[in-house]
Amino acid sequence: MSNIATIEYGKNGQMYTASNVSAKIITVVGTAMTGLILYNPLGSGKYMALMSAGFTLSTALGSISSIGLAIAPTTPTVPATLTVGSAVIKSSSGGPVNSVGLTWDVATLGVACVTQRWFAGLNWITGGSGQAPYQFDTKIDGELGLIPGAAVAFAGIGGTLPTGMGSISYIEVDYKG
């Protein structure tokens, strides 16, 4: 069980969810990312403690594939080639959205991401169909987070990368770094 006071953060309006509201394909790690990208802007004064992430497939895959969360470390280079598309941030309590976070379907980050948590995998049987659960979740409970200037994105590896919708819940607290 987590020792994070999740309910208190929610009641105080400090808990948010970033998600896609339409299906997007994810990419391998690099600087050009697609799918769901969450960014903590430089100078925000906030730390984003990641609480959970989920991904649901919208298409069947034709090969083995894995899904993870990749973090791009802080850099003075501001992300470019940004497409908001279907990416949104909402308050997890239904209140106003006061998050400093920015989210996109497409972004070119200043530095390449590194996958920090693999949480889903799909197998495949050549000449047949694989066993493919269509929805995956991972409980993070603050083990991963974003300091100002850092970003997180869904990433994949495999022959056919998944198309679907991602979601990331996070808590914002003051950053004193």
Side-chain angles (χ1 to χ4, degrees), residues 9-155:
Y9 286 112
K11 287 181 0 184
N12 292 333
Q14 294 174 271
M15 192 162 187
Y16 303 94
T17 301
S19 62
N20 298 112
V21 294
S22 68
K24 304 296 175 198
I25 191 166
I26 62 174
T27 56
V28 297
V29 293
T31 55
M33 300 301 293
T34 63
L36 178 64
I37 302 102
L38 174 63
Y39 175 66
N40 186 357
L42 283 168
S44 71
K46 298 292 182 183
Y47 176 77
M48 295 178 171
L50 305 182
M51 298 303 292
S52 65
F55 192 86
T56 188
L57 299 173
S58 62
T59 58
L61 297 179
S63 66
I64 193 167
S65 181
S66 295
I67 303 169
L69 290 173
I71 293 180
T74 188
T75 176
T77 305
V78 176
T81 320
L82 309 171
T83 303
V84 172
S86 73
V88 298
I89 294 177
K90 297 289 185 185
S91 167
S92 65
S93 63
V97 179
N98 299 319
S99 174
V100 299
L102 300 173
T103 189
W104 306 294
D105 292 336
V106 176
T108 301
L109 304 172
V111 64
C113 294
V114 174
T115 302
Q116 306 263 337
R117 176 169 293 198
W118 294 104
F119 68 93
L122 304 137
N123 66 3
W124 179 255
I125 301 167
T126 302
S129 60
Q131 296 176 351
Y134 65 90
Q135 203 280 329
F136 305 93
D137 288 299
T138 183
K139 196 74 163 161
I140 303 167
D141 281 341
E143 292 175 5
L144 299 174
L146 304 177
I147 64 172
V152 63
F154 284 92

